[in-house]
């Protein structure tokens, strides 16, 4: 039986938890903070930051997170990428807001022709995780002025209704990536990129299975890689555009809520959600959150606690 252990940081652990939320199972073991079960693999997340994948599907699932593999019984290989990728004309795409209880999921694609790579690097364009929101707002304006791009914001009302209709996050992401890529290809036509690079959230075959039978599916010269922001500046640019769109939408939602909405899915989020349930009601909260997250339940238990204490 295949058994793989990887080590991730707290922020990334949250992503893994969110990803497997629908497959969550209740299990008690020392140090265990989360467990999920797929048909061919059991995923266990420990307080130490270690994640264990057990079962026939462990390599497939572990490779999604592409981290330092410890004690692996099988090797993990990333997809073969073109050698001249980083110096070519590329459309990159990336998403954000997937692990945040409040606010929308956003996806962006950006076309960076080879002769603009230097300019974007000069602007300091790199992985959005290494930039502050303020830095990115400025950078996003420069990127948008210099490059052709497309950005999609999936509002919470639509997100929740899709989720209730059986769409998982992977499927929503795949559909949105396909959309933004289509938009950018249309805008740059008859010009074409050498390659399209998607920051990988699902393996290629799963990505296309998620898209299903859309009338127009972008397949030509498409490559997938984790940490793709580091492989071509177009993905970094897309990640910045997506992030800024997310932050702007969060600011707008914060105004309508009358409180600064926290990012992520931690205890602060539960606290604010509980306050909003009391002041604005359940209906309102569902319009600004991803309702299926565990935060909904946690916020309700805080509400009950508060009521008991008054
Ligand atoms: Mn990404």
């Amino acid at each position: 039986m295949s058994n793989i252990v990887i080590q991730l940081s707290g922020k990334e652990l949250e992503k893994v938890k969110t990803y497997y939320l629908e497959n969550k199972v209740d299990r008690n073991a020392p140090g265990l903070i989360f467990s999920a079960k797929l048909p061919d693999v059991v995923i266990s997340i420990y307080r130490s930051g270690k994640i264990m994948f057990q079962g026939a599907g462990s390599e497939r699932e572990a490779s999604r997170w592409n981290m330092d593999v410890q004690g692996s019984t099988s090797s993990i290989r990333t997809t073969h990428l073109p050698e001249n990728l980083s110096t070519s004309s590329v459309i990159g795409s990336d998403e954000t807001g997937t692990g945040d209880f409040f606010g929308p999921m956003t996806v962006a694609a950006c076309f960076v022709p080879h002769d603009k790579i230097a300019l974007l690097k000069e602007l300091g364009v790199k992985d959005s995780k290494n930039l502050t929101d303020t830095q990115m707002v400025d950078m996003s304006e420069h990127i948008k002025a210099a490059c052709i791009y497309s950005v999609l914001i999936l509002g919470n009302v639509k997100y929740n209704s899709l989720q209730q209709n059986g769409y998982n996050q992977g499927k929503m992401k795949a559909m949105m990536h396909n959309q933004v890529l289509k938009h950018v290809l249309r805008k740059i036509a008859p010009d074409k990129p050498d390659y399209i690079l998607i920051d990988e959230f699902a393996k290629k075959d799963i990505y296309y299975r998620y898209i299903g039978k859309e009338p127009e599916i972008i397949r030509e010269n498409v490559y997938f890689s984790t940490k793709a922001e580091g492989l071509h500046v177009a993905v970094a640019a897309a990640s910045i555009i997506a992030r800024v769109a997310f932050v702007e939408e969060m600011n707008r939602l914060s105004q309508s809520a009358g409180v600064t909405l926290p990012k992520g899915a931690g205890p602060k989020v539960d606290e604010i959600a509980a306050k909003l349930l009391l002041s604005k009601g359940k209906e309102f909260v569902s319009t600004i959150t991803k309702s299926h997250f565990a935060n909904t339940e946690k916020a309700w238990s805080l509400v009950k606690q508060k009521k008991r204490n008054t």
Side-chain angles (χ1 to χ4, degrees):
M1 191 173 90
S2 183
N3 191 340
I4 297 175
V5 178
I6 63 175
Q7 176 89 39
L8 294 180
S9 70
K11 199 176 164 191
E12 284 159 331
L13 278 184
E14 282 308 313
K15 274 196 196 171
V16 179
K17 275 160 75 175
T18 306
Y19 186 87
Y20 295 113
L21 210 55
E22 289 165 55
N23 311 100
K24 186 176 188 291
V25 289
D26 285 324
R27 240 179 75 212
N28 265 325
L32 186 74
I33 53 171
F34 179 91
S35 183
K37 199 170 187 302
L38 301 184
D40 58 352
V41 56
V42 174
I43 299 117
S44 311
I45 305 184
Y46 294 91
R47 194 161 292 117
S48 62
K50 285 196 169 61
I51 308 181
M52 190 188 283
F53 299 84
Q54 290 165 289
S58 57
E59 180 169 336
R60 180 196 66 236
E61 293 306 316
S63 67
R64 281 183 208 291
W65 313 102
N66 198 36
M67 296 295 152
D68 303 332
V69 176
Q70 307 173 349
S72 164
T73 54
S74 48
S75 63
I76 288 179
R77 222 165 272 119
T78 48
T79 338
H80 181 70
L81 297 166
E83 249 167 51
N84 63 346
L85 180 67
S86 67
T87 53
S88 299
S89 299
V90 167
I91 301 179
S93 66
D94 195 16
E95 78 285 333
T96 193
T98 57
D100 303 272
F101 180 56
F102 289 110
M105 192 157 102
T106 67
V107 181
C110 183
F111 176 53
V112 181
H114 66 89
D115 56 357
K116 281 187 180 157
I117 295 173
L119 169 73
L120 260 64
K121 288 195 170 161
E122 191 63 33
L123 288 172
V125 173
K126 57 185 168 192
D127 184 359
S128 60
K129 290 175 201 84
N130 299 323
L131 295 165
T132 66
D133 286 348
T134 329
Q135 282 175 317
M136 283 192 274
V137 169
D138 197 42
M139 231 173 253
S140 177
E141 286 314 306
H142 285 293
I143 299 167
K144 286 173 170 179
C147 299
I148 291 173
Y149 70 96
S150 170
V151 57
L152 274 183
I153 299 170
L154 179 61
N156 296 97
V157 173
K158 183 82 187 283
Y159 176 100
N160 291 331
S161 109
L162 288 172
Q163 200 275 329
Q164 277 153 24
N165 283 302
Y167 282 57
N168 63 20
Q169 266 204 355
K171 186 168 172 67
M172 294 186 222
K173 283 184 215 174
M175 306 277 272
M176 289 170 78
H177 274 264
N178 190 57
Q179 283 291 335
V180 289
L181 292 174
K182 211 161 69 182
H183 291 160
V184 172
L185 281 170
R186 217 171 276 160
K187 287 185 194 176
I188 67 172
D191 200 2
K192 271 187 175 190
D194 298 320
Y195 309 107
I196 291 173
L197 181 60
I198 298 176
D199 191 36
E200 184 181 290
F201 56 89
K203 290 282 172 207
K204 193 171 186 168
D205 56 333
I206 295 166
Y207 172 86
Y208 285 113
R209 201 187 307 152
Y210 280 147
I211 294 177
K213 293 193 176 85
E214 282 292 286
E216 201 184 335
I217 301 171
I218 308 306
R219 293 178 186 275
E220 202 183 338
N221 294 322
V222 176
Y223 290 85
F224 295 80
S225 177
T226 52
K227 300 192 169 173
E229 312 90 356
L231 297 175
H232 197 284
V233 75
V235 179
S239 81
I240 290 169
I241 293 171
R243 187 67 193 168
V244 169
F246 171 77
V247 169
E248 282 171 357
E249 191 60 15
M250 282 291 268
N251 292 342
R252 204 182 63 78
L253 295 177
S254 293
Q255 275 193 344
S256 77
V259 59
T260 302
L261 299 173
K263 294 168 187 120
K268 175 86 181 149
V269 166
D270 303 331
E271 189 59 41
I272 298 289
K275 279 190 186 145
L276 287 170
L277 282 171
L278 286 166
S279 64
K280 297 252 182 185
K282 185 181 160 184
E283 234 10 78
F284 175 80
V285 172
S286 77
T287 64
I288 61 168
T289 59
K290 300 179 186 77
S291 307
H292 67 113
F293 276 32
N295 301 87
T296 301
E297 239 174 89
K298 289 183 195 157
W300 275 115
S301 39
L302 288 176
V303 167
K304 278 172 206 151
Q305 254 176 48
K306 280 182 215 274
K307 284 187 175 160
R308 231 179 283 135
N309 294 343
T310 50

